[in-house]
Amino acid sequence: MTTPRRLATAHDREILRLAVPAFGALVAEPLFLLSDSAIVGHLGTAPLGGLGVAGQALSTLVYLCVFLAYGTTAGVARQIGAGDLRAAIRQGIDGMWLALAIGAVLVAAGWPLVPGIVDAFGASPAVAPYAETYLRVSLFGIPSMLVVLAGTGVLRGLQDTRTPLAVSLGGFSANLLLNAVFVLALGWGIAGSAWGTVLAQTGSAAVYAVVVLRAARRHGAPVRPDVAGLRASATAGFGLLVRTAALRIVLIVGTSIAARMGDPEIAAYQVGFQVWTLLAFALDAIAIAGQAITGRYLGASDVSGTRAVTRRMVGWGIGCGVAFGLIILVVRPWLPALFTSDGDVRRLLFASLLLVAVLQPVAGVVFVLDGILIGAGDGPYLAVTTLIATVVFLPAAIVLYRADAGLTGLWVAIGLWMLTRMFTLGLRARGDRWMVTGAGR
C-alpha cells in the first residue's frame, strides 16, 4: 500500500521532472531579444530604439496567442491520461495547423498596418524607420513562432519538457550566430537582425514539426488538416485568449501609469517589474507542470489523484513564493545599487521591492492554480475571473495615481489584482465543477 509520504514524494518527483526543464525553456526565450539588443546596440541608439518598439509589438502579438501552447497542452494531456496516444497526437497536430492559419492571417493583416503599429507605440521620427524595417521582416517569422508555441504545447502534453528546453537553447544559439553574421559581418543592419531571428524561429518550428510528424507516423495519427479539429482547438482557446488579453491590459496600464509619474518612477518600476518577471518564470514552470499533470489525471478520470496533486502543487507554489520573498528581503538593501546610481530611483526601488517580496506567496498560489485550471480546460472561468481582477485593478490604480500615492500605490493596486485572482481561483479549486473527467471536456 502506498503511504501518503511516499505518494507526496512521487508527486514531487513528477512536478520537478516537468518544472525544471520548463523553467530553463522559459528563461531561454527572452534571450532571443536580449541577444538581438546586444548586437543591434552596436548600430546606434536609433536602431536599438527601433528594435525596442518592434519587439514590443511582436511580443504583444505572440503573447496573445500563448493559448496555442496552453490549450494544446491541456488537450493532449487529457488524451494521454485516457490512454489514447493516437488521439493525443492528432489533437496536437490540429493545434499546429491552427497556429499556421493564425500566423498567415497575422502576416497578411499586419503588413499594411506596420506604420500605424509603430506610430501607436510612440516611435520618434528617428526610430520609426528602423522599427518598421524590423517589424516588416519579423512578420514572416510569426507563423513559425506560433508553431513553436503549439509544438511546445504538444510535447508538454506528452509529459516532455526536456525537448522544448533543447529546442529553445538551440534556437537561441542559432539566433545569436545568425545575428552576428548578418549584422556585424555582412552589414545588413537591423534587417539582418530580423532575418536572423526569423530563420532561427523557422528552424525551431521545423524541429517541432519533425518530432510531431515522427510521433504521428509511429502511432498512425493522420496529419492532414481537420476542420472539426481546428474548430475545436480554436473554441477551446478562446477563453484563454480573453484571459491573456486581460492580463496584458494590466501590464500595459501599469507601465503607462508609472511613465506618467516621472522618469525616476518609470525607471524604478521597470527594474522592479523585471525582478517580478524573473521570479514569475520559476513559478510559471510549476504552473506548466500543473497543466500537463492535471490534464493527464483528469483524462484518466482520477479525481482523487487530481485533488492530491493539486494540493501538492499549491504547496510548492506557496513554498517557492515564501522563499523568493525572503530572498528579496535579504538582498533588498543592495539590489538597487546594481541597477542605478540615481538616488531617487534607488529610493523608489527600495520601497517597491518590499511590496514585490510580500506579494510572492500570493503569486505562488495564483500562478499554480492558473496552470492547474488551464490543464483542466477551464478557460471560460479563467476568462471571466481574470476580467473581474482587471476591473478591480484599473480603478484602484487610477484612484491611487490621482491621490499621489506614487509607485507604492501602483504596487498596491497590483497587489489587489493578485489578491482578487487568488480569491477567485481558490474558490474554484475548492469545488469540484472544474474537475471534468475523460478524454474531452
Side-chain angles (χ1 to χ4, degrees), residues 303-340:
V303 173
S304 62
T306 303
R307 182 68 71 187
V309 78
T310 294
R311 285 195 296 265
R312 198 64 184 172
M313 284 187 285
V314 170
W316 271 86
I318 294 172
C320 289
V322 170
F324 294 160
L326 291 174
I327 290 171
I328 293 174
L329 291 177
V330 169
V331 302
R332 181 169 163 252
W334 301 279
L335 195 60
L338 296 177
F339 294 95
T340 180

Side-chain angles (χ1 to χ4, degrees), residues 124-175:
S124 69
V127 166
Y130 296 101
E132 290 181 18
T133 298
Y134 190 94
L135 189 53
R136 285 192 186 279
V137 174
S138 296
L139 280 175
F140 292 109
I142 284 182
S144 294
M145 294 179 192
L146 301 190
V147 169
V148 167
L149 284 178
T152 301
V154 175
L155 295 183
R156 287 173 181 170
L158 295 172
Q159 317 296 295
D160 175 11
T161 55
R162 292 185 179 182
T163 301
L165 171 59
V167 176
S168 292
L169 292 176
F172 163 67
S173 301
N175 182 66

Side-chain angles (χ1 to χ4, degrees), residues 119 123 230 254:
D119 184 63
L230 292 173

Side-chain angles (χ1 to χ4, degrees), residues 24-34 148 152 164 167-168 172 201 208:
L26 288 168
V27 172
E29 287 301 321
L31 295 178
F32 271 102
L33 275 178
L34 185 62
V148 167
T152 301
V167 176
S168 292
F172 163 67
Q201 290 284 5
Y208 278 115

